[in-house]
Amino acid sequence: MLILVLNCGSSSVKYKLYNMENETVLLSGLAERIGLSGARLVQKAAGQEKVTWEMRLADHRTAVEAILRRMGDAGLGVRGEDIAAVGHRVVHGGEAFAASTVVDDAVLQKLEELSQLAPLHNPPNVTGIKICRQLLPHALQVAVFDTAFHQTMPPKAYMYALPYEYYRKYGLRKYGFHGTSHRYVAQRAAQMLGRPLDELKLITCHLGNGSSLCAVKEGRAVDTTMGFTPLSGLVMGTRCGDIDPAVVALLIEKEGLTPGRVSDLLNKQSGVLGVSGLSSDFRDLEQAATAGNRQAQLALDMFVYSVQKWVGAFAAAMGGVDAIVFTAGIGENSPYVRRQVLDGLTWLGLRLDERANCTRGRDAWLTTPDSEVQALVVPTDEELVIARDAAGLLAEHTLMENISITA
Ligand code: AMP
């Protein structure tokens, strides 16, 4: 069974085609600079070299058409009609979606309404779904949400202490993001620990360009660091994380910035990039800090400190923690960041195995046998979760159809 996973951004479409018989990736690719000059499609088929096509991609529809055509040309015998389902990454599911869902007209309308909560991200996601409904009408369209996993948070964790009417009026509350990743690594961590997920207290640390932590108690998210948008919580690559909200008013007043410019500053020019004045990439920062760059060192220290503080907060929120799980670009690949974070957590009874920590990009157990709290690395795989959810919903859908035919 073939499942296509699609991630439509404002000017790009990322895709992966899975054979779900053995969960292998047959093809992956990226159409970028859609609607801009210098557009191109890059595709890698299993066992083949990467191929790049420079082409005009006027809009998302042209891009998806080009993707389907190139998939067919890859020599793997893939035809559009063989794609049984398309799993779409959708950033915001609001309070309406606590799990992945099959997209019908009613769901599509709800997704359009939710665009007000994520005006930059949801519209291209919805566009991708509409295009696939037209181009692959036989395939089941499934939406998988970044926010869904966090919908189990209790009100005391997700409400903001603002006048209640703003929650009613604008849905102003914490939603959390990276949910697909947190769900996947929590499940995988439970497998590695050899214990049922519903008996564990985990803190999953998705540390990448965007970073968030999630407190997963007995398999359910009970708190997370990102909020109404992916701007809050940890210090990130270019995002400020938590700051005093009064800073926004001051920037508008003293710097004469418009709200849009402030948003830009907090999202794109802050975080470790803003503090270091150098880069948002941790490889650059680690190198610069080693060479004596103090601002780079400060940026790294602030990032590490913010992770440590939230680990402490979430251990308190769950009444303890069994394991801390690292994932995403930094979490999977930076022994330096992991060591710095974990060295500050010995008070939890956590003992780091320095040698085990010298690993990159694969499952690893980082703590010594006598450690009371475990630390793991689990490479995330959001696309695989989307493909699995799509396959699961397809199986349910087919079963229901068969039952209604028999009845
Ligand atoms: P992601 O958003 O998950 O793709 O993570 C991207 C980030 O991971 C990059 O911006 C880097 O900061 C970080 N990263 C990737 N590889 C390494 C590495 N070997 N050491 C430190 N940081 C890394």
Side-chain angles (χ1 to χ4, degrees), residues 206-210 280-283 286 327-335 337 360 380:
H206 180 111
L207 308 180
N209 225 337
S280 63
D281 193 307
F282 277 60
R283 287 163 288 202
E286 287 176 26
T327 195
I330 302 162
E332 292 168 28
N333 296 302
S334 174
V337 167
R360 288 182 206 278
T380 193

Side-chain angles (χ1 to χ4, degrees), residues 8-9 15 20 53 58 105 111 115 137 175 178 205 213 220 282 287 295 297-299 329 354 366 398 406-407:
C8 279
Y15 62 99
M20 292 309 282
W53 296 276
D105 290 342
L111 293 181
S115 284
Y175 290 98
H178 295 143
C205 308
L213 261 55
R220 293 158 65 86
F282 277 60
Q287 208 177 8
Q295 269 174 255
Q297 187 62 61
L298 174 62
E354 289 282 354
L366 304 180
T398 313
T406 331

Side-chain angles (χ1 to χ4, degrees), residues 140-391:
L140 194 72
Q141 308 296 327
V142 170
V144 180
F145 304 93
D146 274 15
T147 50
F149 184 58
H150 303 296
Q151 278 297 301
T152 46
M153 283 188 290
K156 67 179 178 186
Y158 70 67
M159 285 300 290
Y160 289 138
L162 293 169
Y164 201 83
E165 64 184 281
Y166 295 116
Y167 167 60
R168 288 218 190 91
K169 226 167 148 181
Y170 304 116
L172 267 185
R173 50 158 283 181
K174 180 191 274 201
Y175 290 98
F177 298 86
H178 295 143
T180 313
S181 173
H182 288 295
R183 172 158 63 108
Y184 174 79
V185 299
Q187 283 165 352
R188 177 75 195 112
Q191 281 175 353
M192 287 172 70
L193 294 165
R195 290 177 58 190
L197 186 57
D198 60 11
E199 285 177 10
L200 287 167
K201 293 171 182 163
L202 301 174
I203 299 175
T204 48
C205 308
H206 180 111
L207 308 180
N209 225 337
S211 295
S212 69
L213 261 55
C214 183
V216 186
K217 188 177 184 185
E218 294 156 8
R220 293 158 65 86
V222 293
D223 207 343
T224 189
T225 55
M226 283 180 169
F228 180 66
T229 73
L231 181 58
S232 68
L234 304 172
V235 171
M236 297 178 230
T238 61
R239 293 174 227 163
C240 60
D242 288 344
I243 55 168
D244 184 336
V247 169
V248 174
L250 181 136
L251 286 172
I252 290 174
E253 208 179 291
K254 303 269 185 201
E255 291 279 312
L257 301 180
T258 59
R261 279 283 300 129
V262 175
S263 169
D264 205 58
L265 184 134
L266 302 180
N267 275 290
K268 298 186 185 152
Q269 299 164 39
S270 300
V272 292
L273 169 68
V275 175
S276 69
L278 180 73
S279 172
S280 63
D281 193 307
F282 277 60
R283 287 163 288 202
D284 300 336
L285 296 177
E286 287 176 26
Q287 208 177 8
T290 309
N293 183 318
R294 286 200 191 169
Q295 269 174 255
Q297 187 62 61
L298 174 62
L300 288 171
D301 291 347
M302 287 170 69
F303 176 80
V304 165
Y305 183 58
S306 74
V307 177
Q308 287 169 336
K309 275 199 301 187
W310 279 105
V311 167
F314 286 171
M318 294 192 291
V321 54
D322 295 301
I324 292 159
V325 192
F326 291 95
T327 195
I330 302 162
E332 292 168 28
N333 296 302
S334 174
Y336 169 82
V337 167
R338 291 192 304 251
R339 178 170 14 89
Q340 293 300 108
V341 168
L342 296 175
D343 276 353
L345 298 177
T346 48
W347 60 274
L348 277 172
L350 191 145
R351 302 278 171 268
L352 176 66
D353 179 339
E354 289 282 354
R355 280 185 57 192
N357 187 39
C358 299
T359 182
R360 288 182 206 278
R362 56 187 176 81
D363 286 351
W365 195 302
L366 304 180
T367 32
T368 57
D370 63 339
S371 187
E372 288 165 46
V373 172
Q374 308 311 316
L376 307 172
V377 177
V378 175
T380 193
D381 198 340
E382 290 162 277
E383 291 88 3
L384 180 60
V385 181
I386 295 174
R388 282 180 181 165
D389 280 8

